[in-house]
Amino acid sequence: GAGVSQSPSNKVTEKGKDVELRCDPISGHTALYWYRQSLGQGLEFLIYFQGNSAPDKSGLPSDRFSAERTGGSVSTLTIQRTQQEDSAVYLCASSLARYTEAFFGQGTRLTVV
Amino acid sequence: GQQLNQSPQSMFIQEGEDVSMNCTSSSIFNTWLWYKQDPGEGPVLLIALYKAGELTSNGRLTAQFGITRKDSFLNISASIPSDVGIYFCAGQLNNNDMRFGAGTRLTVKP
């Protein structure tokens, strides 16, 4: 597709369940970012992938959070044993390696009940 | 880590007025970016700045990369109702991750 695609757009899950959020970056973009945005708040950095380099995981809030990027393209953010405080919009963005303009998807709104 | 302070947190202005918001950082950046987010959408890039002192315009928007590389401002002239939204600054050093400010929520009264 032409833009960054995220799925699902909305996810309601029960506390304690695992969830997987998917991001399809723009074709050819080697950099991929995950951010979390709580209601009315700014963007909290989670993880950054750049090509084949080891990802920068410094923003992941706990070991319940993990992400992978297969084949340098699609990325999956996994949250295990979800808690209510995990409720937020999870945004993915991608950019070309040489440039810094990052393009965002529409996000996945996660609600943990 | 890199901390970005964005101000003001919110602004309520009359249609036609000019707007100014800024970001400061404790660290230097190589790139400053300004994004706008509409409700229910992901942020959209407005302006990218790559060089200290650079002043760039995009229609009614003007942004500058501070000479110290630790700050940037965004001006919107002659605001219109569709300018409503949340404006975020972001800084990037080399090819590392982008860090975002907390956002400025803009309300424009017709």
Side-chain angles (χ1 to χ4, degrees):
Chain A
V4 177
S5 177
Q6 290 187 247
S7 60
S9 55
N10 279 284
K11 175 74 176 178
V12 180
T13 189
E14 289 181 354
K15 179 180 170 182
K17 296 277 174 101
D18 298 351
V19 294
E20 283 190 353
L21 313 180
R22 178 186 168 106
C23 173
D24 281 275
I26 293 172
S27 178
H29 281 194
T30 62
L32 187 146
Y33 313 78
W34 283 98
Y35 292 87
R36 178 168 70 175
Q37 187 175 31
S38 301
L39 187 63
Q41 302 296 313
L43 278 70
E44 176 190 1
F45 167 73
L46 297 177
I47 188 169
Y48 166 68
F49 295 90
Q50 173 61 61
N52 295 322
S53 303
D56 177 356
K57 304 180 182 179
S58 60
L60 294 178
S62 76
D63 58 8
R64 295 187 295 105
F65 288 72
S66 63
E68 28 176 64
R69 190 176 184 193
T70 52
S73 181
V74 171
S75 177
T76 303
L77 177 69
T78 301
I79 309 174
Q80 295 178 309
R81 304 181 303 281
T82 51
Q83 304 294 313
Q84 286 185 325
E85 62 262 27
D86 299 335
S87 296
V89 175
Y90 289 81
L91 289 160
C92 173
S94 72
S95 67
L96 287 171
R98 287 169 50 201
Y99 304 102
T100 57
E101 295 100 324
F103 299 88
F104 281 83
Q106 290 198 309
T108 293
R109 181 174 298 278
L110 176 66
T111 304
V112 182
V113 297
Chain B
Q2 299 154 341
Q3 297 289 331
L4 291 185
N5 298 306
Q6 187 171 349
S7 65
Q9 278 190 321
S10 59
M11 301 183 76
F12 296 84
I13 63 168
Q14 207 71 36
E15 182 177 358
E17 288 183 353
D18 297 344
V19 172
S20 185
M21 59 191 79
N22 70 83
C23 262
T24 60
S25 169
S26 56
S27 309
I28 62 171
F29 288 107
N30 287 344
T31 302
W32 281 96
L33 306 161
W34 285 92
Y35 286 85
K36 182 193 178 202
Q37 186 178 31
D38 291 326
E41 303 288 327
V44 173
L45 182 69
L46 298 175
I47 290 183
L49 301 157
Y50 298 105
K51 199 164 62 171
E54 179 182 354
L55 182 71
T56 297
S57 292
N58 178 7
R60 294 179 296 106
L61 307 178
T62 302
Q64 184 157 33
F65 191 146
I67 199 74
T68 65
R69 296 168 63 194
K70 292 184 178 183
D71 64 304
S72 176
F73 72 73
L74 174 71
N75 288 342
I76 306 172
S77 63
S79 58
I80 59 178
S82 61
D83 290 335
V84 164
I86 305 176
Y87 291 79
F88 291 101
C89 62
Q92 190 165 22
L93 184 62
N94 298 325
N95 271 333
N96 296 325
D97 56 272
M98 288 185 298
R99 299 294 169 131
F100 281 78
T104 294
R105 187 177 296 272
L106 179 65
T107 302
V108 179
K109 293 178 282 189

